[in-house]
Every structure is written in C-alpha cells, then in structure tokens.
Amino acid sequence: MLAKHSFISGLGRLTSHSPSSSSSSVLRRQQFLVRTLCGSQISRAMSSTSEADAESVLRTVTPSLDPKRHKGQAGKIAVIGGCREYTGAPYFAAISALKIGADLSHVFCTKDAAPVIKSYSPELIVHPVLEESYSISQLSEEDQRKVQDKVLGEVDKWMERFDCLVIGPGLGRDPFLLECVSKVMILAKKFNVPFVIDGDGLFLVTNSIDLVHSYPLAVLTPNVNEYKRLVQKVLNCEVDEQNAEAQLCSLAKQIGGVTILRKGKSDLISNGETVKSVSIYGSPRRCGGQGDILSGGVAVFLSWAHQLKSDPESPSENPAILGCIAASGLLRKAASLAFTKHKRSTLTSDIIECLGESLEDICPAS
C-alpha cells in the first residue's frame, strides 16, 4: 500500500505541473499506469473489504443491564466542543451517548455556550472552561498562557475518569480555542484515553496530523469534504472513488494506524490493515447533526468494546473498529425508523429519540 501511495503521490505532483491543455491525456495515462502497476495491491485491499454484520457486533459489544453494576461502569463520555456560534452539535453528541447507554456525559465548552447547552438538558454535566480569542485579546502573552494553563488544569482534573472523548462538535475555528484543544488531545494521549475526532476537530487535525499520528486509540469520522481535505493533505492526491477502499486503507496507514470512519452512502471503516463497510438501513433525509450522533455513539461503543478486552472470549477485532461498526449500524437503523415516522420533516432530535428503540430491537434489555 505504501508503494502504491508513493507512486500515486508522484503522479499527483506531475499532474500539478502539467499544462492544462494536455491534462486529460496525462490523467488517462496515469490511470492506466496505476491500474497496470498497482492493480494487484488494490485487489488485495478490495479482497479484505467486507460488509460488517453490524447487528451481530451490536449484540456482542452492548453490555447487559446488570443491577450489580454501579454508576459510571457503563461509560463516562466527555465532549470537547461548543462555542458562541455552535451549541447544538455538542449537545447532540453528548445526549446521544446517554440515550445509547452511557452513564455519564460531560461537555467542556466556552463560557458563552454553557448556559445554552445546560438549558437543553439537565442530564448533561457542563463545564464552562474553554476560552476564545475575543475574551483574552486584551491580555499579555504571559497572561494568555496562564489562561491556557488554567483551561488545561480544569480538564486535567477529570481526564482519568473518562472512558472516551469526543473532540470537535461545535468547536469552531478560533485560534486560541484550537490551541487549547490541541493540548487537551496531548493530555488525553498521556492518559491513554481514546478519542473520537469530528467536525472542527478534523479541521485542527488535518492541519496538525502529529496530534493523532500513530495513536491507535484515535478515531476520525470525516464527512465527504473533511475526507477530501485529509486525502489531499496526507496522500497529496485527490479522492479516488473507484478505489475508495484501498485509498482509505492507505490513508489510515499513513497516519500511523488510526481508525477512520468515512461517512457516506455506505460507511467505510479502516485502521490501515482491514476495511469494513456498513450499508444497512439508512435514510434519504440528510438533516444536519447526524454526524454528532455518530461521534457520540462511536465513543460509547468504543468504550464498551475496550471493556470486553478483559474477557478471554471477547472478539479479537480492534475495539475502535467494533465501536465504529456498532455506532454506524445503530445510527442507520435509528435514522430509518425516524424517517418512517416523520418523512421529510425528520430532524436530528427525532433520530436521537429513536436510538433507544432501535438498540432495544437488536439487543433487548431483558
């Protein structure tokens, strides 16, 4: 796969310097050469791609409701995101985690976002600790560093308690805020806390790949545009839909074996070694916020899959892969159910309300 990537990258550089009048013929020659010289590698990647049995994974990963368990054992999730402009996304991610079955769900957001997110639900634990540039612009550089250290200290107090973080929903692109969150990611890696990167977290990571490179507990959940930027940045080429599985595998490998869930008509999942697809259920309604449900779901199922590792009879599959398959399958089933009820008027909140019913249908509580 690396040889294939290097070859394609080289061709990409040639393309960028080709005269526009001959670009079509150059592209045709490139495609012919790639098919000829790299066809065997692509075939191997394609042969390792399979449709995941999402319902079976859901049954395996979802823990039973045991009265002997105490609060927190079914998952403690934290969402890092939420600013003046965006308060819905962190709420959707955090409340979805609870609806799926996590015991506790936290949101670390800016002071402006906190009252709004708190007003959505008393179920969430909201920490108004993040800062944006406008609130510290009058401070000296030294005082700004002190503010950053204070933010990091507030998150640090909680970090060891969390089973997984969701970084990015409603984060925005404020430079000071992104710098703070990058340090939160470094802190999470220090404690070996898994994290799911979505939304503006992917904007941060795409511009600072080292934040996730070779961290096996990182999951990226890009949509079509976010994936395009990742491919351009890491592989130095354009998205190749004809060889989507091979390219995804190459991308995950180039980032050091992180897990990537590429959202689409069929969700594709890879950690650089294998590629799984999830295409069951689904809905034609593409209302905003479904990606936030997915990121919260991945966090919960990933944490449950990690708990299974202590069981000698647990599946050998990578917990991050299992978490992605389970979350994708459940979201698709909930979206399908919501659409049967609401049709064109289906909203993200309707899908969230169908999460419990959809999971119960696959994994009955009793």
Side-chain angles (χ1 to χ4, degrees):
M1 296 302 298
L2 289 176
K4 170 182 175 288
H5 162 59
S6 300
F7 181 74
I8 293 176
S9 296
L11 290 176
R13 287 190 291 273
L14 285 173
T15 302
S16 64
H17 292 89
S18 299
S20 58
S21 61
S22 61
S23 60
S24 296
S25 60
V26 170
L27 180 59
R28 284 194 297 272
R29 287 197 297 272
Q30 288 177 4
Q31 291 173 339
F32 173 76
L33 288 170
V34 169
R35 286 195 298 269
T36 303
L37 299 179
C38 304
S40 60
Q41 292 178 328
I42 291 172
S43 296
R44 284 195 295 273
M46 292 289 283
S47 65
S48 65
T49 304
S50 61
E51 174 70 17
D53 186 347
E55 292 194 353
S56 177
V57 171
L58 278 162
R59 295 187 190 98
T60 300
V61 171
T62 304
S64 59
L65 293 177
D66 187 346
K68 295 180 181 179
R69 305 188 83 185
H70 58 75
K71 181 177 67 177
Q73 284 187 292
K76 301 178 291 295
I77 308 301
V79 177
I80 312 295
C83 61
R84 284 187 298 174
E85 290 86 355
Y86 307 114
T87 57
Y91 164 75
F92 287 148
I95 201 68
S96 295
L98 286 179
K99 288 284 189 178
I100 289 169
D103 286 338
L104 296 168
S105 194
H106 298 245
V107 178
F108 289 80
C109 60
T110 65
K111 293 179 174 65
D112 289 334
V116 181
I117 297 173
K118 283 176 180 283
S119 72
Y120 293 152
S121 173
E123 306 289 346
L124 305 179
I125 303 168
V126 182
H127 307 263
V129 299
L130 302 182
E131 297 283 359
E132 294 182 83
S133 297
Y134 79 91
S135 65
I136 50 93
S137 59
Q138 304 300 319
L139 302 179
S140 65
E141 287 189 15
E142 181 180 352
D143 287 338
Q144 289 184 17
R145 283 195 295 271
K146 290 180 180 178
V147 171
Q148 192 174 87
D149 290 341
K150 183 179 179 181
V151 170
L152 199 62
E154 289 295 322
V155 179
D156 188 19
K157 291 189 299 188
W158 291 88
M159 186 63 75
E160 284 188 287
R161 309 183 194 189
F162 297 134
D163 297 302
C164 191
L165 306 181
V166 180
I167 301 175
L171 186 61
R173 298 185 179 182
D174 178 80
F176 185 80
L177 181 53
L178 291 179
E179 187 176 350
C180 289
V181 172
S182 68
K183 294 184 182 300
V184 170
M185 294 173 67
I186 294 170
L187 182 66
K189 291 194 290 185
K190 176 183 174 182
F191 286 102
N192 286 319
V193 176
F195 51 68
V196 181
I197 309 295
D198 190 46
D200 289 318
L202 288 166
F203 172 81
L204 171 61
V205 164
T206 301
N207 292 297
S208 304
I209 291 293
D210 286 346
L211 287 171
V212 297
H213 194 281
S214 298
Y215 187 55
L217 301 179
V219 177
L220 314 184
T221 58
N223 61 24
V224 60
N225 291 317
E226 293 158 348
Y227 184 74
K228 178 181 179 180
R229 288 191 286 267
L230 267 175
V231 168
Q232 290 172 336
K233 178 75 173 184
V234 177
L235 299 183
N236 193 31
C237 63
E238 297 301 322
V239 174
D240 181 1
E241 294 294 353
Q242 289 186 332
N243 301 300
E245 294 87 351
Q247 187 176 58
L248 174 62
C249 192
S250 179
L251 178 63
K253 182 174 289 187
Q254 283 293 102
I255 307 178
V258 302
T259 299
I260 302 176
L261 193 168
R262 180 191 175 183
K263 296 178 284 194
K265 183 178 180 180
S266 291
D267 293 335
L268 294 178
I269 303 158
S270 179
N271 62 351
E273 296 179 1
T274 184
V275 182
K276 301 291 184 181
S277 65
V278 180
S279 56
I280 59 170
Y281 304 114
S283 163
R285 182 76 167 102
R286 302 307 308 146
C287 52
Q290 293 181 64
D292 304 311
I293 300 176
L294 181 67
S295 63
V298 171
V300 176
F301 287 116
L302 190 158
S303 67
W304 287 349
H306 269 290
Q307 291 178 10
L308 286 177
K309 291 178 69 175
S310 59
D311 183 351
E313 297 183 2
S314 65
S316 59
E317 191 81 66
N318 183 318
I321 294 284
L322 292 174
C324 288
I325 293 171
S328 174
L330 180 61
L331 171 59
R332 286 170 166 271
K333 184 173 177 61
S336 176
L337 179 59
F339 185 74
T340 62
K341 296 179 179 181
H342 303 283
K343 300 301 181 183
R344 288 184 184 274
S345 66
T346 302
L347 301 177
T348 296
S349 53
D350 299 318
I351 299 172
I352 291 172
E353 289 306 312
C354 290
L355 288 171
E357 183 179 349
S358 298
L359 186 58
E360 180 68 16
D361 184 55
I362 298 170
C363 309
S366 57

